[in-house]
Amino acid sequence: MVDPTSDLGEDDEASAPRCENCGEPAFGVGRRTTTWVENGAVERRHFCGDACREAVTE
């Protein structure tokens, strides 16, 4: 079984997704991801930390 909390496919900052707020790599223990279903598809936004996530959701 794959650990759902692991960083699959993200070995370094270069391969990490970009933060929706600041554009920095969303990488490491501070990374936050929000997910939702829209029109039958799973959508997601990645953030480098809580501050960027809160800035976008306000």
Side-chain angles (χ1 to χ4, degrees):
M1 182 174 135
V2 174
D3 177 3
T5 61
S6 68
D7 292 329
L8 293 175
E10 297 172 16
D11 297 328
D12 57 26
E13 291 184 27
S15 64
R18 297 292 170 181
C19 176
E20 289 284 328
N21 186 51
C22 69
E24 292 295 317
F27 181 77
V29 296
R31 175 182 171 185
R32 299 293 180 255
T33 303
T34 58
T35 59
W36 67 97
V37 176
E38 186 173 301
N39 298 324
V42 176
E43 301 289 336
R44 66 185 55 87
R45 286 185 179 157
H46 300 278
F47 302 96
C48 61
D50 287 329
C52 280
R53 182 186 57 147
E54 291 169 6
V56 170
T57 58
E58 291 179 344

